[in-house]
Amino acid sequence: MKKFILFTIIFLTTSFLHAQNEKNISAQSFYKKEIDKLSSSAKIQKAFEIIQELEPTSMKELIELTQIPAPPFQEQKRAEYFKKMLEEAGIDSIWIDQAGNVLALRKGKGNGKTVLIDAHLDTVFPLETDVTVKIKGDTLFAPGIGDDTRALSMMLTVLKAMNKASISTESDILFAATVGEEGLGDLRGIKNIFKTGALKINTHIAIDGGDINRIVTNGLGSIRYKITFNGPGGHSWGAFGLANPHHAMGKAIDYFSTAASDYVSSGPKTTFNVGRIGGGTSVNSIPFETWIEVDLRSLSPEKLIGIEKILLDQTSRALNDYNAGVKTGVKLSLNFEKIGERPSGVQREDLPLIQRAAAVIEFFNGKAFAGTGSTNSNTPISLGVPSITIGRGGKGANAHSLNEWWINEKGAEAIKFGLLMLVSEAGLAK
Ligand SMILES: [Zn+2]
């Protein structure tokens, strides 16, 4: 089962989670017919040919984009470059919003609806990371080559093919290259698109997965905290007896993890993780500060609130218990800082967007699997706007690591899949 192992590697290392609740979806015959009819139209056939012809260009652009670093909160350079690429491909209007997203509007014939399609600009790698693409045989090695740079180049080729094949759609299409999808970026790009309200989005498609047979239709919610204990600090011998924040934090982690383990042992999958610990200046100093960063996740919005309450309550309890024993100097103080919040939500599988995705996957002789993930789709799903995350195709692994690689295996097919998916949702105009 080489294939299975490959999927496991890919999906354990990206934010695109399929491990649980993945379910096969078969398209209803209504949507199968719709997709069959659409795909046999002359314009779509023409666009498919163009995608095939553009293969060398798509690969060249993927390499160019990958080699522009785009660390969290530093996506500007890649954004400017990608904006130029979209302009050259041809677009009705294009701008960069206050969050840093590149937004490109392709006007439809005017049914008043807008389909948003996005790929994220940011990677998880710091600025000094070597992002040179190294080619060995058919394999491209570079941090960020798959997640999510391939999706940017895929989106660009979709736009070019639509233009060259003179495809017009009923709905407007908003192509977006978003900032802040990863980690502490906390979905700030997509959140801004939906927050401003100036853009009325009816449906959303994110390209941020691997295999095109797998789609994300439910949003896995998460809440993240940085928790800090502060004390006076002092010499380990000379000031002995002063409150020690590290000692108190040990108690807090114990109280929290014990109560949390019990809470998550039943019901919808819910997880907790103390991922980082810091503070202290030297082995012979009583630290003046200790901090932890905690990640909480759940498929259920209620459970997520429940585990958050346990974290806050147990940390406060530990602090009070610890402070009760402090006889010398000032007591410790506590600060909670929420550093991340991704909303969760579930969607019905008979939504037209999900049905179309299943039908398009079946058109390419695949089998659709719908799962839960933590992607840009979380935001629209939580607001009741239909949204899915689709794959960028090819074959790849080791996302979020320096050893990330991607192979252009049936890559053109994935771009055709993206185009068909988008045009089916936006409606082919006569
Ligand atoms: Zn991603």
Side-chain angles (χ1 to χ4, degrees), residues 269-300:
K269 180 163 179 176
T270 303
T271 62
F272 60 92
N273 183 57
V274 177
R276 297 182 73 211
I277 300 183
T281 48
S282 71
V283 69
N284 57 343
S285 301
I286 301 167
F288 59 85
E289 170 189 84
T290 185
W291 56 263
I292 56 171
E293 285 179 0
V294 189
D295 174 74
L296 311 169
R297 296 179 183 226
S298 183
L299 293 169
S300 140

Side-chain angles (χ1 to χ4, degrees), residues 15 120 147-148 181-182 208 392 400:
S15 55
H120 66 86
D147 184 11
D148 196 24
E181 193 277 336
E182 301 284 6
D208 195 10
R392 50 196 164 235
H400 292 201

Side-chain angles (χ1 to χ4, degrees), residues 198-229:
L199 304 160
K200 170 125 186 37
I201 310 294
N202 296 89
T203 50
H204 167 244
I205 300 164
I207 315 171
D208 195 10
D211 179 3
I212 63 168
N213 291 310
R214 293 174 145 76
I215 54 175
V216 168
T217 56
N218 296 325
L220 172 65
S222 68
I223 295 179
R224 289 167 180 171
Y225 272 95
K226 180 170 187 176
I227 300 176
T228 311
F229 285 171

Side-chain angles (χ1 to χ4, degrees), residues 138-175:
D138 57 1
T139 311
L140 305 178
F141 290 87
I145 184 110
D147 184 11
D148 196 24
T149 319
R150 157 67 181 175
L152 291 171
S153 74
M154 179 170 159
M155 202 164 70
L156 181 64
T157 304
V158 166
L159 172 65
K160 286 184 190 177
M162 287 178 74
N163 288 349
K164 287 182 199 244
S166 307
I167 290 177
S168 16
T169 53
E170 295 291 344
S171 305
D172 291 351
I173 296 172
L174 188 61
F175 291 87

Side-chain angles (χ1 to χ4, degrees), residues 46-318:
K46 177 82 188 144
F48 283 179
E49 274 169 37
I50 293 161
I51 288 170
Q52 207 65 52
E53 286 163 17
L54 284 174
E55 269 295 89
T57 314
S58 298
M59 293 305 287
K60 193 179 117 274
E61 288 163 343
L62 169 62
I63 293 168
E64 277 170 29
L65 285 162
T66 303
Q67 296 186 154
I68 305 170
F73 302 95
Q74 294 175 77
E75 301 97 338
Q76 299 87 337
K77 245 181 103 184
R78 189 182 279 195
E80 289 293 346
Y81 195 85
F82 192 62
K83 178 169 173 266
K84 232 171 60 202
M85 287 172 137
L86 291 169
E87 273 165 346
E88 278 162 18
I91 195 81
D92 292 314
S93 56
I94 187 161
W95 67 101
I96 292 182
D97 71 7
Q98 69 267 42
N101 299 309
V102 181
L103 298 173
L105 185 70
R106 190 177 191 274
K107 297 288 278 177
K109 284 275 157 89
N111 65 2
K113 293 188 172 165
T114 303
V115 179
L116 170 67
I117 181 163
D118 99 281
H120 66 86
L121 287 162
D122 56 319
T123 69
V124 297
F125 307 100
L127 198 57
E128 60 274 16
T129 310
D130 180 7
V131 288
T132 314
V133 177
K134 299 186 178 76
I135 305 172
K136 285 178 200 145
D138 57 1
T139 311
L140 305 178
F141 290 87
I145 184 110
D147 184 11
D148 196 24
T149 319
R150 157 67 181 175
L152 291 171
S153 74
M154 179 170 159
M155 202 164 70
L156 181 64
T157 304
V158 166
L159 172 65
K160 286 184 190 177
M162 287 178 74
N163 288 349
K164 287 182 199 244
S166 307
I167 290 177
S168 16
T169 53
E170 295 291 344
S171 305
D172 291 351
I173 296 172
L174 188 61
F175 291 87
T178 49
V179 295
E181 193 277 336
E182 301 284 6
L184 295 180
D186 203 30
L187 309 184
R188 74 179 195 287
I190 195 83
K191 281 177 179 171
N192 190 66
I193 292 174
F194 281 92
K195 189 180 72 189
T196 53
L199 304 160
K200 170 125 186 37
I201 310 294
N202 296 89
T203 50
H204 167 244
I205 300 164
I207 315 171
D208 195 10
D211 179 3
I212 63 168
N213 291 310
R214 293 174 145 76
I215 54 175
V216 168
T217 56
N218 296 325
L220 172 65
S222 68
I223 295 179
R224 289 167 180 171
Y225 272 95
K226 180 170 187 176
I227 300 176
T228 311
F229 285 171
N230 290 102
H235 195 277
S236 61
W237 172 259
F240 182 71
L242 291 180
N244 184 316
H246 282 358
H247 298 183
M249 193 59 90
K251 198 187 276 287
I253 294 172
D254 178 43
Y255 283 4
F256 165 61
S257 60
T258 303
S261 298
D262 188 42
Y263 182 72
V264 305
S265 63
S266 61
K269 180 163 179 176
T270 303
T271 62
F272 60 92
N273 183 57
V274 177
R276 297 182 73 211
I277 300 183
T281 48
S282 71
V283 69
N284 57 343
S285 301
I286 301 167
F288 59 85
E289 170 189 84
T290 185
W291 56 263
I292 56 171
E293 285 179 0
V294 189
D295 174 74
L296 311 169
R297 296 179 183 226
S298 183
L299 293 169
S300 140
E302 292 76 31
K303 281 287 249 192
L304 191 58
I305 293 168
I307 189 102
E308 180 187 19
K309 188 171 181 324
I310 289 171
L311 175 66
L312 303 184
D313 288 352
Q314 295 303 320
T315 310
S316 303
R317 184 184 144 223

